[in-house]
Amino acid sequence: MTEDRRHVAELLNLYDWIQTQAALGRPLKDELTDWRVVDDWPGAVPVTTEEFDVFERWFGDILDELLGPV
């Protein structure tokens, strides 16, 4: 490798995103064992016909395989 190509390779470090990804995350304030999950959803969640159609279109084959045709 020539000196110019070695210099370019040092400038174009394709693995530098690994170090920057770790720095982008939010630091943990609390220990994860202290977290709790709260279910505050209503008993019945309203779903529009359009939303149902989207789920049926994207997940219909998987749901038919798991649950059988309805």
Side-chain angles (χ1 to χ4, degrees):
M1 187 182 281
T2 66
E3 186 65 31
D4 290 336
R5 292 187 91 175
R6 188 173 298 128
H7 180 68
V8 170
E10 290 172 1
L11 291 175
L12 295 176
N13 181 3
L14 298 178
Y15 295 104
D16 65 347
W17 64 272
I18 295 172
Q19 291 84 16
T20 58
Q21 287 293 324
L24 291 177
R26 181 176 67 185
L28 293 177
K29 294 181 179 178
D30 298 321
E31 182 64 34
L32 294 179
T33 57
D34 295 337
W35 289 21
R36 61 188 179 112
V37 176
V38 177
D39 180 12
D40 57 357
W41 281 69
V45 178
V47 178
T48 65
T49 305
E50 291 80 12
E51 290 171 327
F52 184 80
D53 289 342
V54 168
F55 272 89
E56 188 176 40
R57 180 160 308 215
W58 282 96
F59 301 112
D61 294 337
I62 296 169
L63 293 174
D64 284 346
E65 186 178 319
L66 291 173
L67 305 173
V70 178

